Amino acid sequence: MTQELTGIVVLFGAALVVAWLMRVLRAPTILGFLLAGMLIGPHGLGWIRAGDDLEQVRFFAELGLALLLFAVGLELSPAPLVRSGPRMVGAMLIQMGLTAIAVAALVHTFLPLTWWSSAVVGCAVAPSCSAIVLKHLSDQRETDSPAGSVIVGVQLLQDIAVILLLVLLPLVAQPGDTPPAWVAAKIVLALGGLAVVTLVARALMPWIVTIVFRHGGRDVLSLFAIVMASLGAWLAGLAGWSWGLGSFLAGVLLAQTSLRHQLHAEISPFRDAFNALFFMAIGMLVNFELVTAQFLPLSLAILLTLVGKAVLAGSAVVAMGWPTRIGIIAGLGMATISEFGYVFAAAAADHDPPLISREFLSFFVAWTVGTMLLGSLLVPIASPLANWWGRRRRGAALATPEHAPRWNNHVIVVGYGVNGKNLAMVLKATRIPRVVVEMGRYLADAAQRDGVEIVVGDATRMAILEEAGLSTARALVTCIDDHHATRSIVAQAHAARPELYILARTRHVSELEILRRLGAREVIPEEFETSIEIFAHVLKEFAVPDNVIDQQISMIRAGQYGMLRGRTSIDRSIRSEWIQLLEAALTQTFLVMEGSPAAGKTVQEMNLRAVTGVTIVAVTRGGKPIPNPPLEFRVQVNDVLVLVGTHRELDAARVYLSPPEPPPGVSAEADPA
């Protein structure tokens, strides 16, 4: 027992040190976990010893992967699949199909494995590691970028494909004398049983989750999530499936409940611990003796996998209609072997009879870890490499002869998403000529259906901007989420037309100064525009006039959002104007109620201006306005006074005109007698 506890302390202690060190070095955390696992494991320094059969280390790997895949399943939503459409499915099928075929052919040629075992290896290599690339996309806030959306969508479909393969593996891998009809019947029964269990669980899970939350609150939700992950793994183990498969399905089922966001919030703090547990454990499974003995074939396998998967994945993305730049980023992001691949290979090794040997599984682990180590270094350079390729293509495009533009004095709108579509519709309504540049076929088709003139292509290429009439345009507006592409478009448009009005929309304020330096005349960061919208509504609630609110907004935008960004050097000048504006005269109405000191008094008797500084500029009685009431005008109950003054004066007038509160212990409705 002490040995197991020592192993846990060493494992998580090393994970803590590595996570801190990787953060200081600004390196991928998963890279550190893999290296640390290799270092402290049985084949390294031996700080964690697990005997000859490595059962404890395999237990760590299986448990960490089960919990990690549960968190992945909990984040799964059908919305990305619905949005992805057939193009994502096509890219996934091309990438996984070609990868599996190529790997199976090479393995069967150079290793003494049957075609069936080679096909299993091909299917294990085909999916890509999502933890590495998604962590990078999340850190760079590029998950919703065009390239990020493609990577997330394809890898999501990959995970679903591997789940189906895991379900089918024990059924189709039957002895050769098993009748095909019997195998087909077992497949149908297994899939039917899985569907029935899923439907029943989906019907019961919302009810169970609601009861747990209602009677246990947030305190038990995290425990409930862990129990569900463990229960899914246990049931999958009883059915002869992988633990990770059961935990993943449990997470998917919980993701369909109304409390999925709360469950995700409860389990998110443990996500890094799950990552550390799995990747350090799989690093500990790397056998250095095997690596040394088979260094050359292992190195060739790793390099061929990275290059081959990058080319096939990128080609699949381009073949389905995305630009080459997106294909480069997606290809490098999906060049590794997935954690699901390890699950599939381990399930094949545990099959009776084994489809691959334990020795080959050790080779596959080293193969997988090698692609993860090098792949984690490829992901950060994907965008710079794609931008370099784009600059070369633009250089070649500049050499092509120009042709007469079809538009003149128009607006080029880059992107036909929500913002681009709204802008195009407004320009159409105001009869301002415009042309939309959109590289997505679906959005381009939508623009054509809306009657918008469209140029289909990647606006980062100069030839596409020239096709959209850059030389004769009045303005250019970027309405896309990809900040790398936005920078490129702004820079080349400004270089070609320095006098062109360029407005760039960006999601993050960190891009504001960069885009201005590149040539954007105006930059609209969504983060701060949302903040402006919020405080504008709050100021309206406090009766601040619209012209004052407009001045506030103008000051903030003129100062490049300096106040909201915490730049004190800009704040001092703006704050003085802000205070002056807030202290300027405001208009407010006041209803005279029963018991008000103003009821029954003349304007002169109230002497409101002398007492509070507020001036009565009008009175509304019975729906009829009485402007500038004379001093002898007598105020009545239900009159509405229109008052002018500063915030402080209006607050004083409100207190002065309000009915007095009854003394403590006396009801306001008590009879004076």
Side-chain angles (χ1 to χ4, degrees), residues 5-361:
L5 185 59
T6 302
I8 293 175
V9 172
V10 170
L11 190 149
F12 283 107
L16 176 62
V17 174
V18 166
W20 173 80
L21 183 61
M22 291 295 104
R23 180 62 61 88
V24 171
L25 298 176
R26 296 185 178 180
T29 308
I30 292 172
L31 174 64
F33 290 154
L34 290 169
L35 293 174
M38 296 166 64
L39 180 65
I40 69 175
H43 301 291
L45 298 177
W47 291 358
I48 293 183
R49 301 183 182 276
D52 296 335
D53 57 357
L54 301 178
E55 284 302 324
Q56 182 185 359
V57 177
R58 289 199 182 99
F59 173 77
F60 282 153
E62 290 287 343
L63 178 61
L65 182 60
L67 296 175
L68 177 60
L69 294 183
F70 172 77
V72 172
L74 195 59
E75 296 175 357
L76 184 63
S77 171
L81 293 178
V82 174
R83 292 196 303 266
S84 63
R87 285 203 299 164
M88 290 283 189
V89 177
M92 182 274 294
L93 291 176
I94 293 173
Q95 181 269 322
M96 288 193 68
L98 293 180
T99 302
I101 293 172
V103 172
L106 290 173
V107 168
H108 182 71
T109 301
F110 294 102
L111 295 177
L113 293 179
T114 64
W115 271 112
W116 178 247
S117 298
S118 300
V120 169
V121 177
C123 292
V125 174
S128 308
C129 182
S130 58
I132 293 175
V133 66
L134 292 183
K135 183 69 165 60
H136 173 78
L137 291 173
S138 177
D139 292 342
Q140 298 298 317
R141 296 189 291 186
E142 296 179 355
T143 306
D144 294 331
S145 68
S149 299
V150 172
I151 293 173
V152 172
V154 172
Q155 289 193 329
L156 181 60
L157 291 168
Q158 284 181 350
D159 294 345
I160 294 175
V162 177
I163 291 299
L164 295 177
L165 291 174
L166 282 168
V167 173
L168 296 177
L169 180 64
L171 303 176
V172 299
Q174 299 293 330
D177 56 350
T178 303
W182 175 247
V183 175
K186 291 190 68 175
I187 292 175
V188 173
L189 287 175
L191 293 178
L194 180 62
V196 171
V197 171
T198 302
L199 291 175
V200 172
R202 187 174 181 180
L204 294 178
M205 198 63 70
W207 176 71
I208 296 173
V209 170
T210 302
I211 290 179
V212 170
F213 182 75
R214 181 179 300 169
H215 298 286
R218 291 179 51 193
D219 296 338
V220 301
L221 272 184
S222 57
L223 291 175
F224 173 73
I226 297 296
V227 169
M228 291 303 300
S230 304
L231 181 62
W234 177 66
L235 292 176
L238 292 180
W241 295 339
S242 164
W243 287 8
L245 172 61
S247 293
F248 180 80
L249 292 177
V252 170
L253 290 173
L254 284 175
Q256 310 308 312
T257 65
S258 59
L259 290 175
R260 63 182 299 263
H261 297 293
Q262 184 63 44
L263 286 166
H264 180 258
E266 297 296 329
I267 206 71
S268 289
F270 302 100
R271 180 70 181 269
D272 290 337
F274 300 160
N275 273 327
L277 183 59
F278 170 67
F279 286 102
M280 290 190 68
I282 199 173
M284 288 188 286
L285 289 175
V286 176
N287 189 331
F288 290 117
E289 294 180 1
L290 181 145
V291 172
T292 304
Q294 303 190 34
F295 180 77
L296 182 58
L298 182 61
S299 300
L300 287 176
I302 293 171
L303 292 177
L304 285 175
T305 300
L306 292 174
V307 174
K309 289 193 68 175
V311 171
L312 291 176
S315 300
V317 169
V318 174
M320 296 309 297
W322 281 281
T324 307
R325 178 180 175 276
I326 302 298
I328 292 174
I329 299 175
L332 293 176
M334 295 189 288
T336 56
I337 299 177
S338 171
E339 56 272 19
F340 268 115
Y342 168 77
V343 174
F344 192 76
D350 292 335
H351 188 269
D352 187 19
L355 300 175
I356 59 175
S357 65
R358 280 288 173 185
E359 291 74 15
F360 185 82
L361 180 62

Side-chain angles (χ1 to χ4, degrees), residues 140 142 325 329 383-384 387 460 481-489 511:
Q140 298 298 317
E142 296 179 355
R325 178 180 175 276
I329 299 175
S383 291
N387 293 333
T460 61
D481 288 329
D482 191 336
H483 65 267
H484 291 293
T486 301
R487 293 181 188 179
S488 177
I489 295 167
E511 292 291 304

